[in-house]
Amino acid sequence: MILENKVISITGAANGIGKSTAKLLAEEGAILILSDVNKLALEETAHELAALNSTIQTVVVDVAYQDQIETIAQLAKSHYGRLDGAFNNAGISGPSIEMIDYPDDVFDQLISINLKSIWWCMKSQLKLMVQQPNGGSIVNAASVGGLVGKPLISPYIATKHAVIGLTKTAALEYGSKGVRVNAVCPGIIRTPMLDAIIKSGEMGTEEQWNTLQPIGRLGDPREIGELVAWLLSDRASLIHGQSIAADGGFTIS
Ligand code: NAI
């Protein structure tokens, strides 16, 4: 087990990539602090994971609010005396609208939930991790939308590019203090977020989505969890400041 007894926080843990990653991390021996804004779905996730005999704390957190985010690190410190790792995963896609018509208030919402949340998560996590003898490992959820542009989702693309910038800067500032910071860039992954986009039909049919990745299929959330688990583990000890795509080749060309 590559994460045995490591205390790890996951935001947006009730669905999709966060939930699959939580399961995988539990199987790898991690002690989990799972948070999400959706209380009911979070409880269901914790219930499912209980079968894996893992140690789990849940906390309802809306990552749009800094004070709520702070409770995660506080909980880690008070219960376990440390936070070894964090997957800052919560995010939203927003609607698909051309730039000149895109509402400013939705832009601001995406900035809060996708970007400021990562800023606030890292601030509270780094404060704790730099004081720990074994430091820590942080993984931020970016996207292939942080590496390339895509029409109709300009605020999403902007936030994910910015997450990569924050990741690189945090890595430069805190690497020598024992904290590794990386980002994952998922391709097109079958989750409730993507289902909603496909169902809206605004960005093509399901068949069209399937052809977007050179491997000819969508990704499974667990395939992102595999990368996150490795990055959080000591096996990735030399991987720092990177934004790694798991995208079936989406960004090759
Ligand atoms: P999802 O919509 O399936 O799950 C996201 C979870 O985050 C949900 O449980 C939701 O309740 C929670 N959440 C949403 N807003 C929140 C808030 N304000 N505070 C706390 N929790 C909140 O999404 P999915 O697909 O699992 O995405 C997870 C991350 O991966 C996001 O950051 C997303 O941008 C990123 N990503 C997803 C891709 C995909 O194809 N599904 C592709 C690239 C990146």
Side-chain angles (χ1 to χ4, degrees):
M1 293 200 284
I2 61 172
L3 296 170
E4 195 158 17
N5 287 328
K6 286 203 184 275
V7 179
I8 295 173
S9 147
I10 304 178
T11 61
N15 280 296
I17 291 169
K19 179 175 180 175
S20 285
T21 302
K23 277 189 191 158
L24 205 137
L25 266 49
E27 289 162 14
E28 292 295 343
I31 297 165
L32 295 174
I33 301 172
L34 305 182
S35 62
D36 202 285
V37 71
N38 184 336
K39 184 173 190 284
L40 194 64
L42 183 63
E43 281 167 3
E44 278 169 21
T45 297
H47 183 69
E48 284 176 42
L49 265 64
L52 298 171
N53 280 333
S54 47
T55 305
I56 298 169
Q57 301 275 338
T58 57
V59 53
V60 176
V61 168
D62 183 339
V63 296
Y65 299 94
Q66 186 176 19
D67 57 339
Q68 295 189 31
I69 286 177
E70 298 272 350
T71 62
I72 302 172
Q74 284 161 10
L75 195 145
K77 184 147 179 54
S78 63
H79 269 75
Y80 307 107
R82 66 187 198 281
L83 180 68
D84 299 309
F87 179 32
N88 300 323
N89 161 73
I92 57 170
S93 58
S96 308
I97 303 171
E98 269 187 37
M99 211 185 274
I100 54 174
D101 295 322
Y102 213 105
D104 289 343
D105 59 335
V106 184
F107 185 96
D108 290 341
Q109 189 192 19
L110 272 122
I111 293 285
S112 289
I113 296 176
N114 288 6
L115 177 58
K116 267 192 151 173
S117 72
I118 303 259
W119 166 252
W120 287 326
C121 280
M122 285 206 289
K123 277 184 149 189
S124 62
Q125 292 153 3
L126 288 163
K127 271 182 214 156
L128 206 56
M129 288 175 174
V130 294
Q131 294 169 21
Q132 299 173 173
N134 296 326
S137 173
I138 294 174
V139 178
N140 295 321
S143 165
V144 288
L147 299 169
V148 296
K150 197 97 181 96
L152 302 179
I153 49 172
S154 47
Y156 182 81
I157 296 290
T159 59
K160 294 301 184 178
H161 274 71
V163 166
I164 291 177
L166 274 184
T167 300
K168 287 179 182 171
T169 311
L172 286 168
E173 291 184 13
Y174 295 99
S176 63
K177 297 179 175 124
V179 186
R180 286 188 302 107
V181 188
N182 291 287
V184 288
C185 299
I188 308 166
I189 312 299
R190 187 100 222 192
T191 66
M193 176 192 278
L194 187 73
D195 282 340
I197 297 172
I198 294 177
K199 266 190 208 129
S200 78
E202 290 163 348
M203 294 180 74
T205 63
E206 182 156 358
E207 291 69 36
Q208 288 169 325
W209 278 93
N210 280 332
T211 61
L212 287 176
Q213 300 190 140
I215 57 168
R217 65 171 175 83
L218 302 181
D220 185 277
R222 197 173 164 97
E223 293 176 292
I224 305 305
E226 291 283 356
L227 175 58
V228 174
W230 179 70
L231 286 172
L232 288 171
S233 80
D234 297 336
R235 298 241 189 117
S237 51
L238 200 57
I239 315 301
H240 185 52
Q242 302 304 305
S243 299
I244 302 177
D247 66 353
F250 183 90
T251 46
I252 295 172
S253 58

